[in-house]
Amino acid sequence: MTARNRFHLIMICFTVLIAGTLLIKQTASSEQQKIETIGIDYAQMNQSVEKVLKDMPEIKEELKSIQSGIHSNQLDQSFSINKTEFRLRVKNNLTEEEHSSPFLRGIAEKQTDHYQDALDIAEEAYGITVTEDEIDAYIKENVSTIWDAEKRKYAKSLQLTLNELDYQFDRDIYVMNVLWERVLPIVMQEFPRQRGESGQAYGKRLKEEFFSSNEDAV
């Protein structure tokens, strides 16, 4: 796989953070489902990023914090409603959908809550916690080696270095990637794929089973 293709796969995390394809259980409205299924034109990404940056001053404060060089790297501070909303707005702009700011903010709040829920469930139901060292190792092995032009342009649009982009701004994405890599084999063993079950249906059922484990524990 080329660096360019690998970066495209990483940028699919825009969809991941919107649709919750890693560890999210939700009942989506028809309007929200439209956001989740439309493809992304990555050639227009940087233009969309610049537009959203102008319309969303909240994200600029987070970028300034990253640029300051003072990073706590605490897991509970990796998630941010503003970052999730920023990615939602970029995707919304790319797909030329007309969703209101309150609607997108509402989705961002729910998604961010789901990410924290996933961490809590993994620890309480499966005894799995993600460490900062694991996240750093994942980024170093899978992300920081990608230096192609598209990624550089994206980082430049945010006025971040590649290191700041990988290890700070997009850190929440990789927290979820690491968590799912550890949880998935256990959940798959606990709930095997059924005969005739499609991959998509199986993935959906795994997520439902994962989140129901928290309900069973209550």
Side-chain angles (χ1 to χ4, degrees):
M1 181 182 293
T2 66
R4 176 176 294 274
N5 288 336
R6 281 191 293 161
F7 180 58
H8 284 176
L9 288 176
I10 289 172
M11 293 311 296
I12 289 173
C13 288
F14 271 114
T15 305
V16 167
L17 288 169
I18 294 163
T21 55
L22 290 180
L23 291 172
I24 291 176
K25 175 187 177 185
Q26 64 179 32
T27 302
S29 66
S30 59
E31 185 179 15
Q32 185 169 336
Q33 287 173 340
K34 285 172 64 179
I35 291 182
E36 296 173 358
T37 56
I38 296 174
I40 298 175
D41 179 1
Y42 291 106
Q44 301 299 319
M45 180 177 294
N46 293 312
Q47 182 178 351
S48 297
V49 167
E50 291 174 1
K51 181 179 186 304
V52 174
L53 284 172
K54 292 179 181 178
D55 297 336
M56 191 179 175
E58 303 93 325
I59 198 65
K60 293 182 180 179
E61 293 304 313
E62 298 217 14
L63 292 172
K64 287 180 181 178
S65 177
I66 293 173
Q67 293 160 355
S68 72
I70 302 174
H71 311 132
S72 65
N73 276 2
Q74 294 182 5
L75 198 63
D76 60 353
Q77 297 182 16
S78 296
F79 301 107
S80 160
I81 295 173
N82 287 335
K83 285 198 296 185
T84 304
E85 182 182 358
F86 169 77
R87 295 178 181 122
L88 277 165
R89 288 193 183 208
V90 171
K91 175 111 187 311
N92 195 59
N93 185 270
L94 285 166
T95 56
E96 299 182 347
E97 292 294 305
E98 296 182 0
H99 299 288
S100 68
S101 295
F103 174 75
L104 294 175
R105 183 69 177 184
I107 296 179
E109 291 173 351
K110 290 179 180 179
Q111 298 295 354
T112 306
D113 287 343
H114 279 309
Y115 300 139
Q116 188 59 57
D117 288 345
L119 291 174
D120 294 341
I121 293 170
E123 181 174 6
E124 294 170 7
Y126 297 96
I128 291 177
T129 58
V130 176
T131 68
E132 297 299 336
D133 287 343
E134 286 178 305
I135 300 165
D136 287 338
Y138 179 90
I139 295 172
K140 182 178 181 179
E141 180 178 352
N142 299 283
V143 184
S144 64
T145 55
I146 302 169
W147 306 325
D148 74 346
E150 290 183 50
K151 182 178 179 181
R152 290 178 182 276
K153 288 179 182 178
Y154 177 54
K156 184 177 181 180
S157 295
L158 297 174
Q159 297 183 4
L160 297 176
T161 66
L162 291 177
N163 188 75
E164 290 170 338
L165 174 67
D166 293 339
Y167 285 90
Q168 301 302 324
F169 188 77
D170 283 342
R171 192 176 187 84
D172 53 334
I173 296 173
Y174 309 125
V175 170
M176 301 311 298
N177 287 358
V178 172
L179 181 67
W180 192 232
E181 280 189 351
R182 295 189 58 191
V183 168
L184 181 59
I186 299 174
V187 181
M188 290 179 68
Q189 186 174 13
E190 187 176 1
F191 303 100
R193 186 171 179 175
Q194 299 173 354
R195 178 176 295 182
E197 187 174 28
S198 69
Q200 183 177 3
Y202 183 43
K204 180 180 178 181
R205 183 164 64 87
L206 286 177
K207 287 179 287 184
E208 291 174 347
E209 296 289 1
F210 173 84
F211 277 91
S212 68
S213 64
N214 186 54
E215 298 170 357
D216 294 340
V218 175

